[in-house]
Amino acid sequence: MSAPLVLVVNPENSKTANINTVADLVAAAKAAPGALAYGSGGNGNLAHLAMELLSERAGVKMIHVPYRGGAASEVGILAQEVLAVFDPLSAVPLVKAGKLRALAVSSAERLPALPDVPTVAEAGYPGFDISFWVGFFMPKATPAPTLEMLHREIVAAANDPLLRERLETQGIVSVLSSADYAAKIAKEIKELAEVVAAANIKAE
């Protein structure tokens, strides 16, 4: 199960009142290089990496304001301290209440809870796919028959309508083969390592 981030702005902030799409945000950043501030839950946080990846793809430079956790960055954008945030799914009720405006979601698929909000990939950045996710791992030496049995049972559970309905309230349910899961992890490690290096991000 993966939980995408939601790229949001504050519609009540005069500086972002007319920003309705990712293209609008990129245009604003290009119009004022190095002046647009965005928040995240901390240095090296996934929201930080997501915005740096978007900035790199879009060819813009924005100012990073690290907060102490995602909730604090959410307070920051509501208080108009920053102009944009890749928010966790806690932003969904605020978006639906009109307190925040969603520009895009960070996953490859649209979020069921916000079906009208495009993905970043749909907004012009193909291949963009960053989410918090949880999955199943086993020790490397686990026998193949055991792995196959566990995979079969996990797939069956994930396809149970009741369980799937409950999980989808928390994100997007994906049933991947072991090979596809390994490929996803390898892709993310490579992609995010490149973002860390390009933006010179250091853990704190």
Side-chain angles (χ1 to χ4, degrees):
M1 187 192 72
S2 59
L5 300 164
V6 185
L7 178 58
V8 295
V9 295
N10 187 340
E12 296 180 1
N13 187 332
S14 61
K15 295 179 180 178
T16 53
N18 295 320
I19 293 179
N20 297 294
T21 65
V22 173
D24 291 341
L25 181 65
V26 169
K30 285 183 175 179
L36 192 156
Y38 73 90
S40 83
N43 202 38
N45 174 276
L46 192 63
H48 179 198
L49 298 181
M51 193 68 87
E52 286 297 331
L53 178 59
L54 177 58
S55 299
E56 180 187 303
R57 296 273 184 91
V60 298
K61 183 66 180 174
M62 296 185 278
I63 299 170
H64 175 226
V65 179
Y67 288 85
R68 294 195 174 191
S73 69
E74 201 168 79
V75 171
I77 193 168
L78 289 169
Q80 303 185 18
E81 296 171 350
V82 292
L83 301 186
V85 168
F86 260 115
D87 224 353
L89 292 187
S90 58
V92 171
L94 293 170
V95 169
K96 290 185 174 182
K99 300 291 185 183
L100 293 174
R101 177 184 296 139
L103 307 184
V105 294
S106 66
S107 53
E109 304 171 63
R110 291 195 181 197
L111 184 64
L114 297 172
D116 296 328
V117 177
T119 66
V120 175
E122 289 175 324
Y125 301 92
F128 195 103
D129 182 14
I130 292 181
S131 295
F132 292 102
W133 51 261
V134 293
F136 291 90
F137 291 82
M138 290 294 289
K140 189 173 182 178
T142 304
T146 303
L147 291 176
E148 291 167 6
M149 179 273 293
L150 288 170
H151 179 76
R152 186 170 58 253
E153 295 302 322
I154 291 166
V155 169
N159 287 326
D160 176 83
L162 181 58
L163 179 59
R164 196 175 188 93
E165 182 181 355
R166 293 184 66 179
L167 288 175
E168 285 180 347
T169 64
Q170 303 172 53
I172 298 167
V173 179
S174 301
V175 180
L176 304 178
S177 69
S178 296
D180 287 344
Y181 193 17
K184 172 183 172 64
I185 294 168
K187 175 182 178 290
E188 287 192 9
I189 289 172
K190 179 179 183 298
E191 189 171 69
L192 295 182
E194 290 171 353
V195 172
V196 169
N200 194 29
I201 296 170
K202 301 191 182 300
E204 292 181 352

